[in-house]
Amino acid sequence: MGNEEKILEMLIDLTKAIDNTRTELKAEIQGVRTELKEEIQGVRTELKEEIQGVRTELKEEIQGVRTELKAEIQGVRTELETEIRENRKEIIKIENKIESEISDKICGLYDSREVTNDKLDKISNDIGDIKETISNVELITASNWRDLTKLKSIK
């Protein structure tokens, strides 16, 4: 066996060793890939479960907050409705009081006007009587002047 044959055998052995190493590396890499895939799948599963748990907790908390808000809003609504009813009652009382006072004032003004009209009628009648009396006094005075003139002329 010559050098060339030895080299050829060594190359064949080296090729087989490289092929074996390559096969072993492929198997090793495939194993690592499989392990990583399994581990990643496990982490995904754990994350999904964790996320689902957080979602459930958040939903429960949000539902609790919603319930509290609804109760609070209902309480405020009830208070406002009660206050609105009370305010309406007070407004009606004020309206009635104002209407009553306005009515009283109008009646008072009407009564005052009637009294004023009665007084004016009385004053008008009194003025008419005074005019008539003055006319009578003027007639009597004129008659007296005539009589005085007659008496003076007789002297």
Side-chain angles (χ1 to χ4, degrees):
M1 201 179 298
N3 280 340
E4 289 179 9
E5 289 180 3
K6 282 184 181 179
I7 291 175
L8 190 58
E9 267 186 46
M10 285 170 88
L11 282 175
I12 292 172
D13 287 340
L14 185 59
T15 303
K16 286 181 184 178
I18 288 174
D19 284 342
N20 285 339
T21 304
R22 188 179 290 156
T23 304
E24 288 175 5
L25 282 174
K26 281 183 180 180
E28 184 77 27
I29 289 171
Q30 189 60 36
V32 169
R33 279 184 179 163
T34 304
E35 286 177 18
L36 283 175
K37 283 182 181 178
E38 290 173 358
E39 196 170 317
I40 289 172
Q41 188 60 35
V43 169
R44 280 184 180 163
T45 304
E46 288 176 12
L47 282 175
K48 283 181 182 178
E49 290 172 359
E50 186 73 26
I51 290 170
Q52 189 59 37
V54 169
R55 280 183 180 162
T56 303
E57 287 178 20
L58 285 174
K59 283 181 182 179
E60 290 172 359
E61 284 185 39
I62 289 171
Q63 188 60 36
V65 169
R66 282 182 178 166
T67 303
E68 289 175 14
L69 284 174
K70 283 180 182 178
E72 185 70 25
I73 289 170
Q74 186 60 37
V76 169
R77 181 178 286 146
T78 302
E79 288 176 16
L80 286 174
E81 286 173 351
T82 302
E83 192 170 324
I84 288 169
R85 273 190 237 111
E86 289 174 4
N87 287 342
R88 283 182 180 162
K89 287 178 185 177
E90 291 299 317
I91 288 171
I92 289 171
K93 285 181 184 177
I94 290 170
E95 285 176 346
N96 290 338
K97 185 176 181 181
I98 289 172
E99 285 178 9
S100 174
E101 287 182 10
I102 288 174
S103 178
D104 290 346
K105 297 288 182 188
I106 289 172
C107 286
L109 288 172
Y110 180 77
D111 290 345
S112 175
R113 190 187 84 193
E114 289 298 313
V115 168
T116 302
N117 285 342
D118 289 346
K119 285 182 181 180
L120 287 174
D121 286 345
K122 186 177 184 215
I123 289 171
S124 178
N125 288 338
D126 288 345
I127 289 174
D129 290 346
I130 290 172
K131 281 183 179 178
E132 191 176 318
T133 302
I134 288 176
S135 291
N136 287 338
V137 167
E138 286 176 346
L139 285 174
I140 292 170
T141 303
S143 173
N144 285 342
W145 275 106
R146 248 190 334 232
D147 289 342
L148 278 174
T149 307
K150 281 184 190 176
L151 286 175
K152 277 186 182 181
S153 63
I154 296 179
K155 266 191 186 182

